[in-house]
Amino acid sequence: MNLAELLEYIGNGEPLIAGTEAFACMERYSHEAMRLTAELNGAYHTPDAVRDFMARITGREIDPAFRLFPPFYTDFGKNIRLGRNVFINACCCFQDQGGITVGDNALIGHRVTLATINHGLRPEERGVHHLAPIVIGKNVWIGSGAILLPGVRIGDGAVVAAGAVVRSDVDAACVAGGVPAKIIRRIS
């Protein structure tokens, strides 16, 4: 299985199951992501070099206005899509097998975790990885330490408060916070 086939398989909502060809393919790209993020995080790099690392990690062109303050962690890398003028602060973790899309002008604070995988609940099903994409709209601000769980969508212009655990969608132009996150107010 090649990367295009794996991404199509994932895009069709299929689970990744330990011991399968799809899982083995994912693991190959995971090791590449670990190597590249170790190189990125191991020394100072200019902003241009950071963008080059992200292009290699994601396999996609990166906008010249993209900014990232390392360290940055991802365990796959090839299912991240970044819009224009995105900023990602230090110590973020992107578990992107299920797909992560970040819209234009989004700001992602320190230590944000984006998790697109759930394991099977029963012990004998823990090798089954259920994937669901995270979609972050345009002009979104994700506060420090927030955690976004599989399948959530953050609407354009929304704010996710620091430390929030987001397990359901956040409407556009709203502030969400808490554990679990709920709408706190609308942005006028």
Side-chain angles (χ1 to χ4, degrees):
M1 177 174 275
N2 64 35
L3 180 60
E5 292 168 331
L6 177 62
L7 291 174
E8 180 180 352
Y9 178 86
I10 291 168
N12 289 334
E14 298 294 333
L16 286 174
I17 301 171
T20 65
E21 182 182 6
F23 194 87
C25 182
M26 182 271 300
E27 279 193 316
R28 286 193 305 275
Y29 286 98
S30 292
H31 286 283
E32 177 183 323
M34 285 187 276
R35 180 182 57 78
L36 289 168
T37 56
E39 290 175 25
L40 169 65
N41 298 334
Y44 169 78
H45 301 284
T46 66
D48 288 339
V50 169
R51 282 188 289 277
D52 180 62
F53 271 106
M54 287 303 288
R56 290 187 288 153
I57 289 167
T58 64
R60 293 178 170 82
E61 186 176 326
I62 300 297
D63 179 67
F66 172 80
R67 295 175 299 137
L68 167 74
F69 289 175
F72 172 78
Y73 304 96
T74 182
D75 57 2
F76 183 60
K78 301 301 187 209
N79 213 357
I80 298 172
R81 291 166 183 78
L82 301 168
R84 294 184 314 252
N85 198 38
V86 168
F87 173 68
I88 300 172
N89 218 323
C91 300
C92 289
C93 298
F94 284 24
Q95 182 190 50
D96 66 288
Q97 287 89 339
I100 293 171
T101 300
V102 180
D104 296 346
N105 305 306
L107 304 173
I108 299 178
H110 290 91
R111 299 188 188 286
V112 167
T113 298
L114 306 179
T116 66
I117 296 176
N118 270 326
H119 294 275
L121 187 58
R122 297 168 40 145
E124 61 273 14
E125 297 171 353
R126 299 274 163 82
V128 178
H129 298 74
H130 301 281
L131 310 175
I134 292 173
V135 178
I136 298 171
K138 296 177 181 178
N139 302 305
V140 169
W141 175 19
I142 308 292
S144 296
I147 300 170
L148 279 61
L149 297 177
V152 301
R153 295 179 164 276
I154 310 299
D156 292 348
V159 175
V160 174
V165 177
V166 182
R167 65 180 190 181
S168 58
D169 293 353
V170 174
D171 294 338
C174 286
V175 177
V179 180
K182 61 182 179 180
I183 301 301
I184 296 171
R185 70 182 181 102
R186 302 239 174 243
I187 300 170
S188 52

